[in-house]
Structures are given as structure tokens and as C-alpha cells.
Amino acid sequence: MDTTEIAAPVVGVTVYPDRARITRRGGIHLAAGRHRVRVAPLPLGLRRDSVRVGGRGPATVLGVDVTVWRQARSTDAQVVGLEQRRRELADELAEVDDADGIEEQRGEFLARLVERAGGTYARALAAGDAAPSDVAAFTDSVAVQLAESRARRRTLARQRIELAEESAALGRDLDAAQGKREPDRLAVEVIVAVEVDEADVELELSYLVEGARWQPSYDLRLVDHTMTVTWFGMVSQSTGEDWPECELQLSTARPAAATGVPELSPWYLDRFRPAPPFAGSMDMSVGMSVPPAPAAAASGGGPARSAAVRAKLRETVAEVEQGVSAATYRPARPVAVPADGSAHRATIAVLELPARLDHVTAPVRAAEAHLRATVRNTSEHALLPGPASVFHDADFVASTRLPAWAPGEETELALGVDDRLRVERKLSRRVETKATLGSTRRREMEYRITVANHTPRPATVEVRDQLPVSRDEAVVVRETTIVPSPVERSELGELIWRLSLAPGDSGEIALGFRVELSKGVELTGWRE
């Protein structure tokens, strides 16, 4: 059989979170008989078991062979070294992505562990089957693991940036070294054996390729009580072949994830044996760590907002096809994606979601009130986790990371400090008694928390404070004054009040406690 090469350009790409399916299509006129049709060059990252051949015309596919197409390599030592380093960079980037995925799963596991263990410890404490020290040891252990995992993810993020920068610089060096001549390379070829009557035949070839990905990115813009969520798909690839402007689809499916049905292992119960305490301890801060926003971010008015309202531009969004376990999005605008690892943005959806606003303050940490939006996903879209830029009207407030957000689910977004709510926490009473023979020492504290609403509209303010928690039976903490009663409290001493304040109004909270120390006991962990 004779071998005929066919021009089959890329006509469609479906990008998954960690790979892509490429579709090529081309036509050819063949005489009657058997022929071998060659499609080349194809990327080395092609998965051979994923190759599929179809098409139209009076032809029968007799077989498909996937082989490596070898071209003579350049004798230029510099070019050879650069090409070798480019392959190494691709492997290193894949390793970083794999490690980051493992750390993300580790963080999700620890979060679920804490959520489940919270109820278990609460019941055990109430029944007297566990001591506060057990809870502290568990929380310290989880905190250390979470901190280490997040530190590793930050390190991996820096490595990814450094590798991407090195890859871009290496590409420029390769272009300079190779000049205008076609680079030598090692590629894959597909040979399709067909039997036809004399006719025009159209062949369609599809395959999965590694080195491609898409990641979600968001703009979150609050105007009045509506949160506009603009969902972008950031597409990048380093597969070795450029993608022209063609039919691009973004799929949430994970082809490699469904490897089998999970099997159950035995469920053992045993006596709890507490681990030795760690040297570090978890910061039990109750405040919201949010970058301070400009004053205009909380003002809700001014020229910036008027300009934002006037600039109502329509934006094209992707068509969506909801599957059984995944969704596929087709951006309205074709996107060309070169194989240089750079990200190219496509708009997936623009969602108008209702938002509920309130304020949160933890004056024991900082005398500031943070504006918070609680937003419900009323759309049909299951939003994937990804980075988000938060805006209040036209003002940038903060960068955050949006968690996985299912339809009907609520999430909270911090919108910066609102300086028009004034918060003050003062020590109003302090009494300390010295121990006499056989007696205990006592230390009494009382605080006054004042919140004043200087905004032009009613405000709901969530106030967070805490009582100290004893880890030793020789240190006893007793409440003396809590007015008004908190709406929520935890086993670890956290107290929550919710104040409804009219414009110009203020609210006050009194919080007092007493610490009793056995004779000869020295107190640690004290703060005022």
C-alpha cells in the first residue's frame, strides 16, 4: 500500500482541568484500493490509547498505528541543550501541579476532620469523657498540619511561577538560536489504513494530550445588594503544538479521576490515646484577616460608583451543556492558544446573585468593623474553586480564593474595613487579690464594648469576643458579667453577639470574668 500524507489541521479542542482532547480534520482524494494515510507531526504528549479515527466517505478503516516520527536532530549543541531543558521544565511543572493537587486534598481532608471532630469533642466534653486539654492538643496538631500544608502550597506556587518564567526565557533563547529554520524535533505520527472506492474522503482524528489545562478565575463586584460574578476560564498549554482559533470547549470532567468504585475497609473503634503536645500552638484569633480597603470602598457613593453604573457593557458568555456529572462550556469567542504556557482568558458566565450585607468586628484583636457579604448561588452553575478579585462598586477591595460553590449554596465574602462603624473595647474594672494561707488568688476583669453606627442606613453588626479557657484544674475561669446574653457561644470560649443599630445609634456589651488560681500556681497565657 502506498502512503499518502493528509493535511489535517486542528478544528476543535476540549480542554479539561489537566489535559485536552484535540480534534483534527482533513479531506483527501484517493483512488480505489487500499491506502495508508499519514497524519503528522503530532505532539509527544499524545496518549496512544486515546486515538480515535472517524470521518465521512465510502471508505473502511482497516487499522490505526501510532508511532514515533523521528527527524534528524540539530547538531547545534546549544539547541540540543535548550530542547533538553524544555522537556525537563515540562516534567517539573507537571510534578509541581501533582504536588499542589495532593496538598489541596490534604487541606480538604483536615477541614472535614475538624468539622466532624468538633461535634464529637463537644459531646465528649459535655459528658465528661474528655478534658479541655484533649481538645487543645487536637486543635494544635491540626493547626500545625494546616500551616505546614499551606506553606508547602505557597512554595509550590512560587516554584510554578519561577518555572513558567524560565520556560518563557528558554523559548526566546531557542528562537534566537534556531533563527528562521524549522526546528528539528521528535514527534508522533498516526498511520490510518483504509480501503476505498475512488472518491473524496474526509478523515477526523481525535486524541488526548497532556500538558494542557484550564483554571477558573473570577471577578466579584458588589453593587447595592447584588453581587455580579464574572467567571473566566484561563486556558494554557505546553503540548508542543499551537492551537489556532477553532471550536474551543471547557469541560469540568476529569477523565483520569473515574478509575474505579471505592472499596470499604474495616471500621475499627479503639480507646483514644492523646498524642504528646506540640511545641507550637494554634492562634485562636477570632478576627477576620482582610486587607484594609480604601475608604471609598465602604462609602457606597461618589463619582466612581456613578461611572460604574454608566459603564454597563454587555459581555458575551459561553453556552453550557450540563452532563450527568460534569458541564461543558463553549465560549462565544474563538480563542487561539499557543503552546508557550501563557494563559488566555475566555468568559464563561456572568451571574447576578443576591447578597446580604452585615458587619463583623472582633475588638479583642482590632477595633475595626469589616463589611461582609453573604451571597447565595441562585444560578445553575457549579462554580469551581479559583482565585477571585473582589470589588465594591468600582473600587478594588481584596484578592481572595473562591471555594467550590454549588447551586443554592451560600458563601461569605469580606469587603474590607468600614470606618463609619466605630468600635471601642475598654477595660472598665480590674481587681486582683493576693492569696492568704490556704486560699486561692483571684483576678477579675470586666470590659465594655461600644459599637456606634455612623452610616446613613441601618447596620447589623456581629461582635466577636472570647473568655479564657483553662487547661488545668488548678486554674478556674468563672463568668461574672455578660450583658446582653450572646446569641452563640462555643466550648472554646468564643462568644458572638448581633447588634441591630439604626443610623446614629450605638450599642454596648459588658463582658466580665474571674480567674481563680490555686496556691503556688503561676499563670501563663494571660493577656489584657
Side-chain angles (χ1 to χ4, degrees), residues 55-319:
R56 293 184 177 87
T60 302
V61 176
L62 303 177
V64 179
D65 294 322
V66 182
T67 60
V68 174
W69 177 41
R70 300 183 180 274
Q71 289 182 324
R73 288 193 173 275
S74 169
T75 57
D76 188 334
Q78 180 186 10
V79 173
V80 172
L82 291 174
E83 289 176 343
Q84 175 65 25
R85 180 55 185 157
R86 181 165 61 180
R87 290 191 294 273
E88 293 173 354
L89 283 175
D91 292 339
E92 292 174 18
L93 276 169
E95 291 174 0
V96 168
D97 288 340
D98 292 342
D100 186 69
I102 292 172
E103 291 300 332
E104 182 178 9
Q105 292 177 0
R106 188 197 308 273
E108 293 174 354
F109 169 78
L110 289 173
R112 289 194 297 270
L113 179 63
V114 169
E115 181 180 351
R116 294 178 180 176
T120 303
Y121 271 120
R123 290 191 294 272
L125 285 169
D129 295 331
S133 59
D134 298 334
V135 180
F138 173 77
T139 55
D140 287 350
S141 173
V142 173
V144 169
Q145 294 182 62
L146 279 173
E148 292 174 349
S149 178
R150 290 171 181 172
R152 287 192 292 269
R153 292 200 71 185
R154 289 192 296 271
T155 301
L156 290 170
R158 288 193 297 270
Q159 291 177 2
R160 185 184 291 109
I161 294 173
E162 293 169 357
L163 290 172
E165 292 173 348
E166 183 180 351
S167 178
L170 188 145
R172 292 191 294 270
D173 292 342
L174 262 176
D175 292 340
Q178 293 170 334
K180 295 183 178 180
R181 57 189 180 82
E182 186 72 19
D184 300 334
R185 57 182 168 178
L186 187 68
V188 171
E189 65 178 4
V190 172
I191 305 295
V192 183
V194 296
E195 184 174 17
V196 299
D197 297 330
E198 183 173 358
D200 292 326
V201 176
E202 182 183 73
L203 288 181
E204 183 174 285
L205 175 71
S206 67
Y207 50 88
L208 282 175
V209 65
E210 308 288 350
R213 67 190 60 83
W214 80 274
Q215 297 175 323
S217 176
Y218 302 92
D219 276 357
L220 310 177
R221 190 178 302 275
L222 178 70
V223 178
D224 295 330
H225 286 77
T226 299
M227 180 68 72
T228 301
V229 179
T230 305
W231 183 9
F232 302 108
M234 308 299 291
V235 184
S236 61
Q237 60 104 351
S238 52
T239 63
E241 62 178 353
D242 295 335
W243 300 343
E245 288 190 356
C246 60
E247 182 182 350
L248 179 68
Q249 299 182 109
L250 308 180
S251 175
T252 62
R254 296 181 179 270
T259 55
V261 177
E263 299 292 338
L264 298 179
S265 58
W267 180 6
Y268 297 109
L269 298 179
D270 200 351
R271 183 178 64 180
F272 175 71
R273 297 175 176 83
F278 284 84
S281 62
M282 185 166 69
D283 181 11
M284 301 302 292
S285 168
V286 296
M288 294 181 64
S289 176
V290 181
S299 63
R305 179 179 176 186
S306 301
V309 172
R310 288 195 301 270
K312 284 283 188 179
L313 299 179
R314 292 188 299 272
E315 191 164 6
T316 58
V317 297
E319 296 180 2

Side-chain angles (χ1 to χ4, degrees), residues 399-411:
S399 294
T400 186
R401 184 169 181 82
L402 200 66
W405 198 1
E409 188 178 17
E410 285 190 345
T411 192

Side-chain angles (χ1 to χ4, degrees), residues 3 10 20 36 70 79 106 111 131 176 183 205 208 241 244 324 342 348 351 405 474 503 514:
T3 301
V10 175
R36 289 159 46 94
R70 300 183 180 274
V79 173
R106 188 197 308 273
L205 175 71
L208 282 175
E241 62 178 353
V324 176
S342 59
I348 296 177
L351 313 176
W405 198 1
R514 180 173 66 248

Side-chain angles (χ1 to χ4, degrees), residues 303-492:
R305 179 179 176 186
S306 301
V309 172
R310 288 195 301 270
K312 284 283 188 179
L313 299 179
R314 292 188 299 272
E315 191 164 6
T316 58
V317 297
E319 296 180 2
V320 58
E321 179 181 336
Q322 298 285 358
V324 176
S325 61
T328 300
Y329 298 91
R330 297 180 180 85
R333 179 179 65 89
V335 179
V337 184
D340 57 3
S342 59
H344 297 262
R345 190 170 78 173
T347 302
I348 296 177
V350 179
L351 313 176
E352 303 284 343
L353 306 180
R356 184 174 69 254
L357 302 181
D358 65 352
H359 292 78
V360 181
T361 181
V364 67
R365 291 300 187 193
E368 298 172 336
H370 297 266
L371 182 62
R372 177 177 65 180
T374 303
V375 188
R376 179 178 294 276
N377 183 3
T378 56
S379 73
E380 65 175 356
H381 300 280
L383 304 183
L384 304 178
S389 297
V390 184
F391 297 84
H392 191 183
D393 289 338
D395 298 306
F396 174 75
V397 175
S399 294
T400 186
R401 184 169 181 82
L402 200 66
W405 198 1
E409 188 178 17
E410 285 190 345
T411 192
E412 295 181 356
L413 299 171
L415 302 179
V417 175
D418 191 339
D419 291 324
R420 300 171 301 170
L421 268 84
R422 309 302 296 173
V423 182
E424 188 176 40
R425 184 181 191 265
K426 284 187 175 181
L427 178 64
S428 60
R429 182 170 178 269
R430 187 181 192 279
V431 178
E432 187 164 357
T433 62
K434 295 183 179 180
T436 59
L437 184 62
S439 67
T440 60
R441 287 181 294 141
R442 295 181 178 181
R443 183 178 298 177
E444 292 191 22
M445 310 291 291
E446 186 170 315
Y447 297 90
R448 297 283 174 178
I449 303 171
T450 304
V451 182
N453 178 18
H454 297 286
T455 71
R457 55 181 63 87
T460 299
V461 185
E462 181 178 294
V463 182
R464 300 178 179 181
D465 214 302
Q466 61 185 154
L467 295 171
V469 178
S470 172
R471 291 185 175 182
D472 193 285
E473 59 184 8
V475 180
V476 178
V477 179
R478 302 187 189 279
E479 300 175 11
T480 57
T481 304
I482 300 183
V483 179
S485 297
V487 295
E488 293 182 31
R489 61 193 309 161
S490 73
E491 295 290 339
L492 297 180

